Amino acid sequence: MRLPAPGTAANSADPSRQVDDGGGRGTGRTYDEPRSRPRRFAHGPQGEIDVSAYIGAIDWRHCPDTTDPIECGTLEVPLDWDDPRGEKIHIGVSRVKAKDPGKRIGTAIMDPGGPGTSGVTDMVLRQGKVFSDAVRERFDVVTYDPRGVNTSSPITCDQAEADRVEAMKDPHSQADFDALVAAKRQLSENCRRLTGPLYDHTDTRQTVRDIDAIRAALGEEKITQIGYSYGTLAVQLYAQMFPNRVRALVGDGNMDHLNVRTAWDLTSAGAGALEENFTQFAKWCDMTPHCALYGRDTTKTYIEVRERARRGTLTDPDTGKPVSFAALLRTANLANLPDRWREAASMIKSRYDGTPTGQVPPPPGGDGPPAGRVQLPHEVWFCQDWRMQVRDYAEWSALSERLARSYPTVQWSPYANSALDCVGYTGKTTYPQQPAHTGNAPAMMLLGNVRDFATVYTWSQGAAKQTGATLVTYEGYGHTIYPSTAHAGPSACINSIVEDYLINLKLPASGTRCPDIETPGGTGGPPPSPGTGG
């Protein structure tokens, strides 16, 4: 699930807000290879269509902007899989071939998170190393840009309209709420006008059929899949729709489509995780002499800073600018990552004392997209997958007050804005909440971090109960764990279990748990990439 990375602004380096470059497929080509030809397979167990009859071939070429041996291409698929003979769109894909062709098992597909994260960009940025070495040795690794994203046919919106909505996502009255609804409705119609019919065909059902089209185009009868964060929803649904086309499935940081039914279900999950992680951070600080808040009562100090932010009297001593309650939450979010705890403590102390840290943030807009059109797939995809609209300001105010009562330290949820994503949305919820029934699919494996701040551990438990999957528990922090945490490195325990399953199809015993590897108060590092394994 997409969240602002701890300590960053909500839209910083967000692939879902990249500027549309008029197709985005890239023009670099260093060598040509014969296209992968789709093979025909029998209809699926639910009477599914033979997808190979309705798709093109992947036009593989070397990926632009990298010297690594990564191939990129596009695949033509139906705009609407319920009308497969109709209009077509294209899906961007990338591939790294197995390092040991003689031991090759098959294809492993990585499902990116978000919704709206680019798998192709992730593959290039990580130099093809999206899985562990042992898996990359035996599998061709393939990932893709979901429909609406990056190199796939894009969801295109007006930059100014999107920015206007973003600035209104903190209503303080019914008039504010009504203005937000009107602006969101205008943005929705704007995106539909600029995008065309694709705007109304981006739910996870359509994406899962695209995944099966990739399988067919690669000539694979069965595939192995590893889904991250929001991409786990596609893993669960693929097992339900195409059980006979599954070799192995892993979900890392799992969505629970059945049990997240209301705005409270969503926001309380994020607030609960942050409250607990902040409690652990405060305990560490109060016991650790090199924490900047040692001897001050960390929780009490933060609450005093928070109340100043709520009253509008808190300023950033480095810039002299006001710090809102929402902006302060980004500092609290650092409690989700133990290697950022020292940084969090220093920032809270600085704002409490009014003493500069010497770290002035860069001016906004330098690396952002220029004015014009942007890709904005997140909200439309989310609104087609979830029915949980906030109806009016009274409901929003009650939700805010309940969060403050239930989570007395942080008093807010990183998912608060997500609860407002679908107000004013003019489309339909075409894949609303429902259980994940995987039927006769092979047994799957789910990975869950106990202190995951984005896809909380109870969601992994719920998904495991519905699918009958084996849940492997990581006792630590962070969002997703295989093949590595973004901050603490790889867990040898987790990686060996996943590798044994993906390569040998051997599942661990029920209840298997792996110890945490985090070091509280580390030197810090870059924020995780939301939804893609960090």
Side-chain angles (χ1 to χ4, degrees):
M1 187 79 175
R2 185 175 71 110
L3 278 177
T8 66
N11 293 324
S12 175
D14 183 351
S16 70
R17 292 179 62 83
Q18 293 172 353
V19 176
D20 174 25
D21 63 0
R25 296 198 232 179
T27 57
R29 183 187 296 267
T30 58
Y31 66 87
D32 294 326
E33 176 179 314
R35 296 185 174 201
S36 301
R37 295 294 178 184
R39 294 187 342 213
R40 292 179 177 271
F41 298 109
H43 289 242
Q46 310 300 326
E48 294 294 341
I49 61 173
D50 178 7
V51 296
S52 60
Y54 303 104
I55 63 176
I58 301 175
D59 55 334
W60 292 115
R61 59 194 183 277
H62 190 271
C63 290
D65 304 321
T66 181
T67 58
D68 297 301
I70 306 172
E71 298 170 282
C72 288
T74 55
L75 174 66
E76 187 178 82
V77 301
L79 164 75
D80 180 2
W81 280 100
D82 292 331
D83 180 22
R85 293 182 175 84
E87 185 178 340
K88 298 294 191 289
I89 61 170
H90 65 266
I91 301 297
V93 292
S94 62
R95 175 176 68 179
V96 175
K97 291 185 177 180
K99 294 194 297 181
D100 189 340
K103 295 182 179 180
R104 181 184 180 277
I105 294 172
T107 294
I109 294 180
M110 190 269 275
D111 297 308
T117 299
S118 166
V120 173
T121 295
D122 197 40
M123 179 83 92
V124 172
L125 290 178
R126 295 167 67 178
Q127 299 177 301
K129 299 174 183 178
V130 295
F131 301 145
S132 59
D133 289 347
V135 172
R136 290 187 292 113
E137 182 178 81
R138 307 292 298 275
F139 290 87
D140 292 348
V141 176
V142 172
T143 188
Y144 60 96
D145 285 337
R147 52 176 56 207
V149 178
N150 197 26
T151 63
S152 293
S153 296
I155 298 292
T156 304
C157 306
D158 181 79
Q159 173 77 70
E161 296 277 359
D163 289 345
R164 187 163 70 96
V165 165
E166 195 65 33
M168 301 173 71
K169 279 190 174 180
D170 187 18
H172 294 284
S173 66
Q174 185 61 46
D176 287 350
F177 191 91
D178 291 343
L180 173 63
V181 172
K184 290 278 290 183
R185 185 176 294 117
Q186 185 171 326
L187 175 62
S188 182
E189 291 299 338
N190 170 269
C191 297
R192 180 179 285 108
R193 184 173 64 254
L194 293 177
T195 300
L198 173 62
Y199 183 81
D200 294 298
H201 296 87
T202 60
D203 67 20
T204 294
R205 292 180 313 121
Q206 299 283 354
T207 295
V208 165
R209 291 177 181 270
D210 294 341
I211 295 168
D212 196 56
I214 294 171
R215 172 203 59 79
L218 293 170
E220 298 282 7
E221 187 170 356
K222 295 185 177 185
I223 53 172
T224 296
Q225 280 182 262
I226 302 94
Y228 292 97
S229 193
Y230 203 86
T232 62
L233 201 58
V235 167
Q236 296 166 27
L237 187 56
Y238 192 91
Q240 179 176 328
M241 293 178 64
F242 304 108
N244 293 335
R245 298 172 185 173
V246 170
R247 178 186 172 274
L249 297 173
V250 174
D252 189 357
N254 299 277
M255 300 298 298
D256 183 348
H257 201 220
L258 173 65
N259 294 310
V260 183
R261 292 194 168 273
T262 67
W264 172 253
D265 294 337
L266 178 65
T267 57
S268 63
L274 178 56
E275 182 86 3
E276 176 58 27
N277 291 344
F278 194 96
T279 298
Q280 297 304 314
F281 154 69
K283 288 179 179 178
W284 172 83
C285 240
D286 291 343
M287 296 168 50
T288 306
H290 62 263
C291 174
L293 295 173
Y294 179 68
R296 291 196 178 207
D297 189 328
T298 300
T299 299
K300 181 179 179 181
T301 302
Y302 177 77
I303 289 174
E304 290 187 25
V305 173
R306 184 200 70 203
E307 289 307 298
R308 290 188 212 167
R310 281 195 177 278
R311 292 192 300 267
T313 61
L314 183 66
T315 58
D316 184 338
D318 286 304
T319 65
K321 296 180 179 180
V323 178
S324 67
F325 173 60
L328 182 64
L329 182 67
R330 292 197 286 271
T331 299
N333 279 345
L334 295 175
N336 288 317
L337 303 167
D339 70 317
R340 308 285 296 273
W341 283 359
R342 291 174 68 177
E343 179 185 351
S346 295
M347 293 178 69
I348 294 169
K349 179 179 183 294
S350 169
R351 288 171 178 178
Y352 183 89
D353 293 342
T355 55
T357 64
Q359 298 178 352
V360 179
D367 295 323
R373 295 181 179 181
V374 293
Q375 291 187 21
L376 200 64
H378 166 75
E379 291 184 6
V380 60
W381 190 349
F382 183 78
C383 297
Q384 289 179 23
D385 280 352
W386 304 85
R387 184 176 289 132
M388 58 170 69
Q389 278 201 18
V390 177
R391 292 166 295 184
D392 53 28
Y393 178 72
E395 184 177 347
W396 173 248
S397 180
L399 178 69
S400 302
E401 292 172 3
R402 187 178 177 187
L403 286 170
R405 290 194 308 270
S406 301
Y407 308 102
T409 301
V410 297
Q411 293 195 335
W412 200 238
S413 173
Y415 280 136
N417 278 359
S418 295
L420 295 176
D421 276 351
C422 300
V423 299
Y425 172 62
T426 60
K428 297 179 180 179
T429 303
T430 48
Y431 178 53
Q433 294 93 317
Q434 54 193 268
H437 295 311
T438 53
N440 297 322
M444 61 192 296
M445 177 191 292
L446 304 184
L447 308 176
N449 296 13
V450 169
R451 301 198 184 282
D452 192 329
F453 57 90
T455 50
V456 297
Y457 184 63
T458 54
W459 292 359
S460 287
Q461 290 176 309
K465 183 177 180 180
Q466 294 163 53
T467 60
T470 297
L471 175 61
V472 178
T473 299
Y474 173 64
E475 299 281 5
Y477 293 77
H479 176 42
T480 74
I481 182 62
Y482 174 80
S484 177
T485 68
H487 290 257
S491 163
C493 175
I494 289 289
N495 284 8
S496 64
I497 291 170
V498 174
E499 289 163 2
D500 202 17
Y501 170 60
L502 293 180
I503 295 170
N504 303 313
L505 299 180
K506 181 180 178 182
L507 285 164
S510 177
T512 295
R513 305 178 82 88
C514 288
D516 68 275
I517 59 174
E518 284 85 8
T519 302
T523 57
S529 173
T532 56

